[in-house]
Amino acid sequence: MQVSSINNVKIYNLSHGKSLPEVRHSWIANVQRRIELIQDFDMPTVCTAIKVSRDGQYILAAGTYKPRIRCYDTCQLSLKFERCLDSDVVTFDILSDDYSKLVFLHIDRYVEFHSQHGHYYKTRIPKFGRDFSYHYPSCDLYFVGASSEIYRLNLEQGRFLNSLQTDATQINACDINPVHHLFAAGTLEGRVECWDPRMRTRVALLDCALSSVTEGTEVEGLPSVSALRFNSSLGMAVGTTTGQVLLYDLRSSHPLLVKDHYYGLPIHSLHFHEQLDLVLSADSKIIKMWHRDNGKIFSSIEPPTNINDVCVCPGSGMIFTANEDPKMSTFYIPALGPAPRWCSFLDNLTEELEENPESTVYDDYKFVTRKDLETLGLTHLIGSPLLRAYMHGFFMDIRLYHKVKTMANPFAYEEYRKEKIRQKIEESRVQRVQLKKLPKVNKELAIKLMEEVEDEDALSGTTSILRDDRFKVMFENPDYQVDEQSEEFRLLNPIVSKVGQKRRKQLQRLAEQDGDDEEEEVEGRASSEEEESSDDDKSWVEEVRVQRRLLWAENNARRFKERKQEDRDARLRPRFYQIKDGEEFRSFGDVARKQKMQKASLEQRVKREESLGMLDLADTAVGSKQLTFTLKKVSRSSAIMGCRPCSGKSRSHMRIDFMPRWFYNENMTF
């Protein structure tokens, strides 16, 4: 149990776990003082809704996972039964005084009825439901949800009746007045539509969106209605999605009081406390109790986990909450009323605690780690009564801690003073002209976005992706570097640049307009915007074509370069030669020269052999023959080709005189 006092109002958290360290066998005392009001008062994962039956004997809670409903008997202070369901429960209601008649609205549009023995019947509504109310005189169930219609299901006839058509797009909450049975539905547009079940037409329309915005109230978006609750015959409370609660008298269209939670979270639970004339409003973070006349805070409860639903035991100071946690919280506030009769011992317990106030033993202790002890030079105290071991550290008296810290660091005040001076200097530097620090990745894109942000902020006050944390990785991770030489960028850049120019022109045009009505255009003549857009389209299309031609030329040049490189690599690739029988391998250069001479002309080969003094010998079966080639410069007119026997001994040894090739080609006929 945890005791807290807010605004001098004692609040007892009966479901709070142990918070003090277990030292000197104090765990025995903690177990003896621990209060388990209801056994197994929890859910496997999360509790979504909780209610108390009208007779006050049964507490029913819906939760997950798996979807289930649990019923607790307060007479036995334990779990009575548990039933698993097919899907999660949006909300549920108890139609009888006990648990014998239950209605569940599921998340998948199903409406499930349970009797005392278990599941009884299951049907479905056309649209997803968000809330429903039961009209006792006619046995009608009114369902509201993601639709403009209010579906009516008559439990006596067992069939759907004609739906009520509203002007809203969606309806979030509904309630029926317990006195005159007026049905009210809160819409997404911030209105409350009132219907009389005896009529088919709407009787009243209340606009709460404009009334919720008062002086000193800051809202983001349209205040939609998120909660409704009637009080007696003329009182009504309306909760909005922006965190305001409006109190109305049904005889007036203006709110009597507007209470702001200042958290900006939707109000999902509203309750009235008749004895003290209080209103209990809750969002997912806090439960506020305030006076209905002036809005002054009475007290508040802020659990460590988010709140899904709040249930107040009628005529008592007991409050149950369904949380985003397996444990369902139980709070007892004696100032609101006495404890329920099934736990009347709480009154005596709280009275004894108030008569004998005891300060928590560890309020005057400081938790220190072993490293802190080494810094302070107190490691020799480990094992002594001055240090109490707990988890990964120790508890020591706060007075001893401050005294030792002052002795260990006498210049702590000077360090504190220097730190404050440094903070003041940093704050003054912020007011100076700040240099724009460019990121390491995509610097060009960042500069462009900065320029666009300056223009847009000056004209329309818009934001940029530079201020959005979702795009932070784009300027930090090198994998997101924009390649301006890529084909995609070059083809897309003209379009993006034209769109940016068009956007800037549009912003400038909007800034120049001072709210004057637009002039009527002459029929059959295109507007200036159409002309500019057509010119822009032509210009960026031409730029895209130019880029395509450049890319085509670059691709061709690249392919030609690649082929050239492949040819070069092929020439440099090693070649293998086969040596024939009878040949002698000299060198690779000799082989290369032979191949080169084979490709040369006859004239070039003769000149080369004459300069080297080489003779070509041809061995045949008849004998060896030697051919000698002699070049003579003879004029064309007296050019004579002759063939005469050589002066050699062999008859087969001939000497042939040849003329230049140009002479053969022009003067010889065969």
Side-chain angles (χ1 to χ4, degrees):
M1 181 173 66
Q2 183 187 35
V3 184
S4 60
S5 178
I6 300 177
N7 202 14
N8 294 327
V9 177
K10 289 291 185 66
I11 300 174
Y12 297 89
N13 187 356
L14 305 180
S15 58
H16 192 270
K18 294 177 292 184
S19 60
L20 302 181
E22 302 173 359
V23 293
R24 291 197 310 176
H25 305 288
S26 64
W27 62 272
I28 300 177
N30 289 334
V31 171
Q32 292 176 350
R33 296 175 183 176
R34 185 170 59 93
I35 297 177
E36 189 175 4
L37 194 61
I38 300 175
Q39 189 177 1
D40 298 330
F41 196 60
D42 54 12
M43 283 286 171
T45 307
V46 172
C47 182
T48 57
I50 187 170
K51 293 183 184 295
V52 178
S53 61
R54 285 200 294 272
D55 58 5
Q57 183 178 351
Y58 301 100
I59 303 172
L60 289 100
T64 191
Y65 177 80
K66 298 180 179 179
R68 67 191 67 206
I69 180 74
R70 286 184 173 180
C71 179
Y72 298 90
D73 191 351
T74 57
C75 294
Q76 303 296 329
L77 297 179
S78 61
L79 179 66
K80 185 173 182 63
F81 65 84
E82 178 184 15
R83 299 172 187 170
C84 289
L85 307 173
D86 295 335
S87 58
D88 291 335
V89 176
V90 178
T91 183
F92 73 96
D93 198 2
I94 307 171
L95 304 185
S96 59
D97 293 338
D98 54 3
Y99 67 91
S100 58
K101 294 180 182 179
L102 305 175
V103 182
F104 300 95
L105 177 61
H106 290 275
I107 199 171
D108 55 355
R109 297 192 287 120
Y110 275 104
V111 180
E112 189 172 352
F113 298 89
H114 281 221
S115 61
Q116 191 170 5
H117 63 82
H119 178 270
Y120 179 75
Y121 183 72
K122 193 174 185 179
T123 185
R124 207 172 191 184
I125 57 177
K127 298 291 183 179
F128 292 97
R130 297 177 181 174
D131 197 6
F132 71 92
S133 297
Y134 182 63
H135 185 241
Y136 283 91
S138 61
C139 299
D140 288 342
L141 278 172
Y142 290 80
F143 295 95
V144 299
S147 173
S148 61
E149 296 180 343
I150 302 173
Y151 304 109
R152 296 189 301 163
L153 176 61
N154 187 271
L155 301 185
E156 183 180 7
Q157 303 177 22
R159 66 185 182 90
F160 281 96
L161 305 179
N162 291 333
S163 303
L164 302 179
Q165 183 64 42
T166 65
D167 296 335
T169 56
Q170 297 180 19
I171 305 175
N172 297 330
C174 65
D175 193 23
I176 294 180
N177 193 291
V179 179
H180 48 71
H181 304 291
L182 180 68
F183 176 77
T187 65
L188 186 68
E189 290 78 13
R191 299 186 180 93
V192 176
E193 298 191 9
C194 299
W195 299 74
D196 191 341
R198 300 169 296 180
M199 301 174 60
R200 296 292 184 86
T201 58
R202 185 179 60 200
V203 296
L205 180 63
L206 186 64
D207 193 351
C208 302
L210 295 178
S211 302
S212 63
V213 182
T214 59
E215 185 178 357
T217 303
E218 296 181 1
V219 296
E220 295 181 0
L222 180 65
S224 304
V225 177
S226 58
L228 271 176
R229 177 72 67 172
F230 280 105
N231 178 36
S232 66
S233 59
L234 298 177
M236 183 180 68
V238 179
T240 63
T241 56
T242 53
Q244 290 82 32
V245 180
L246 296 83
L247 295 182
Y248 282 94
D249 190 316
L250 295 182
R251 296 168 294 185
S252 174
S253 60
H254 299 283
L256 302 176
L257 180 67
V258 178
K259 180 66 177 178
D260 197 344
H261 272 218
Y262 296 108
Y263 282 105
L265 301 174
I267 305 295
H268 57 67
S269 296
L270 292 171
H271 297 275
F272 288 92
H273 194 275
E274 297 295 340
Q275 288 79 8
L276 298 180
D277 202 16
L278 299 176
V279 179
L280 282 74
S281 57
D283 54 23
S284 61
K285 187 176 181 61
I286 193 172
I287 304 172
K288 287 193 175 184
M289 294 166 277
W290 43 280
H291 295 275
R292 188 169 56 181
D293 297 333
N294 50 20
K296 186 178 179 181
I297 285 292
F298 176 76
S299 185
S300 62
I301 302 173
E302 190 170 356
T305 56
N306 290 341
I307 305 170
N308 292 329
D309 193 14
V310 177
C311 176
V312 180
C313 290
S316 69
M318 186 74 70
I319 298 176
F320 300 105
T321 61
N323 310 316
E324 287 286 329
D325 191 70
K327 185 183 295 185
M328 293 178 284
S329 301
T330 305
F331 298 95
Y332 176 51
I333 307 175
L336 294 181
R341 69 169 189 262
W342 50 271
C343 57
S344 57
F345 61 89
L346 289 176
D347 292 330
N348 299 329
L349 181 62
T350 55
E351 288 177 3
E352 293 178 0
L353 291 176
E354 291 178 359
E355 290 176 359
N356 301 319
E358 295 181 0
S359 60
T360 306
V361 177
Y362 291 93
D363 288 345
D364 297 331
Y365 279 78
K366 172 70 175 178
F367 179 81
V368 292
T369 62
R370 187 178 292 272
K371 185 177 181 181
D372 296 335
L373 292 177
E374 293 176 357
T375 304
L376 298 174
L378 299 178
T379 55
H380 61 281
L381 296 180
I382 297 177
S384 65
L386 297 177
L387 294 179
R388 300 178 180 180
Y390 177 68
M391 295 180 65
H392 63 284
F394 306 89
F395 275 97
M396 66 182 300
D397 192 282
I398 189 69
R399 294 170 295 179
L400 176 62
Y401 174 78
H402 287 309
K403 185 176 180 179
V404 174
K405 189 175 181 181
T406 304
M407 296 174 61
N409 189 7
F411 303 101
Y413 175 75
E414 292 295 332
E415 295 178 359
Y416 172 78
R417 181 171 173 273
K418 291 180 181 179
E419 181 65 21
K420 283 294 182 182
I421 294 174
R422 187 187 63 79
Q423 292 179 1
K424 290 289 185 182
I425 294 174
E426 292 295 334
E427 292 177 358
S428 62
R429 287 176 179 175
V430 174
Q431 301 176 358
R432 302 176 184 175
V433 178
Q434 298 292 326
L435 297 177
K436 297 180 180 179
K437 186 177 180 181
L438 296 177
K440 297 181 180 180
V441 182
N442 290 326
K443 294 183 179 180
E444 295 80 4
L445 179 60
I447 295 173
K448 182 179 179 181
L449 291 175
M450 287 178 182
E451 295 176 354
E452 292 182 357
V453 166
E454 292 177 357
D455 298 339
E456 294 178 1
D457 289 348
L459 296 175
S460 61
T462 57
T463 59
S464 173
I465 62 175
L466 289 173
R467 305 172 185 173
D468 198 335
D469 294 337
R470 296 175 297 175
F471 303 96
K472 182 173 62 175
V473 184
M474 188 173 64
F475 300 98
E476 297 177 354
N477 193 345
D479 295 338
Y480 292 92
Q481 178 67 41
V482 177
D483 186 9
E484 297 185 358
Q485 302 300 326
S486 62
E487 181 178 351
E488 295 80 3
F489 179 84
R490 294 176 61 179
L491 293 178
L492 190 62
N493 190 40
I495 304 175
V496 175
S497 61
K498 289 299 177 182
V499 171
Q501 293 177 5
K502 188 184 298 183
R503 186 180 179 188
R504 285 192 291 270
K505 290 180 181 178
Q506 185 178 3
L507 291 174
Q508 292 176 0
R509 191 180 299 109
L510 291 175
E512 293 174 358
Q513 292 178 356
D514 298 331
D516 299 336
D517 296 335
E518 297 181 356
E519 298 180 358
E520 297 183 358
E521 298 180 359
V522 180
E523 185 177 359
R525 182 180 178 183
S527 62
S528 59
E529 294 182 359
E530 295 177 354
E531 292 177 356
E532 292 178 1
S533 62
S534 61
D535 295 340
D536 292 341
D537 294 342
K538 293 179 181 179
S539 59
W540 73 256
V541 168
E542 185 62 29
E543 290 184 10
V544 171
R545 290 176 179 173
V546 171
Q547 291 295 332
R548 286 188 182 278
R549 288 194 292 268
L550 291 176
L551 288 172
W552 180 81
E554 292 176 0
N555 291 335
N556 289 341
R558 185 177 64 256
R559 286 195 294 268
F560 175 77
K561 188 175 181 181
E562 290 176 356
R563 288 197 299 268
K564 188 175 180 181
Q565 183 66 26
E566 290 177 359
D567 296 341
R568 182 182 178 185
D569 295 340
R571 289 195 302 269
L572 296 177
R573 193 178 296 118
R575 299 179 182 180
F576 299 94
Y577 301 94
Q578 182 179 3
I579 302 176
K580 298 180 181 180
D581 296 337
E583 293 184 0
E584 181 181 356
F585 175 75
R586 298 179 182 177
S587 64
F588 288 105
D590 190 13
V591 177
R593 284 193 296 271
K594 287 184 178 180
Q595 291 183 352
K596 186 175 181 181
M597 291 302 298
Q598 290 177 359
K599 296 179 180 180
S601 61
L602 179 62
E603 181 182 1
Q604 294 175 352
R605 284 182 286 173
V606 169
K607 287 183 178 180
R608 179 177 178 80
E609 292 178 358
E610 185 179 11
S611 62
L612 296 176
M614 297 174 58
L615 296 176
D616 293 336
L617 300 176
D619 296 332
T620 61
V622 181
S624 298
K625 293 182 180 180
Q626 179 178 359
L627 298 179
T628 303
F629 301 95
T630 303
L631 300 178
K632 292 183 179 181
K633 294 182 180 180
V634 184
S635 62
R636 292 186 180 182
S637 57
S638 60
I640 300 174
M641 182 184 71
C643 180
R644 65 180 186 274
C646 296
S647 59
K649 299 179 180 180
S650 175
R651 187 179 179 184
S652 60
H653 192 112
M654 304 294 292
R655 179 174 180 179
I656 302 174
D657 295 334
F658 286 97
M659 295 302 156
R661 181 185 296 179
W662 56 268
F663 183 79
Y664 309 153
N665 296 338
E666 296 184 6
N667 299 289
M668 292 183 61
T669 57
F670 297 94

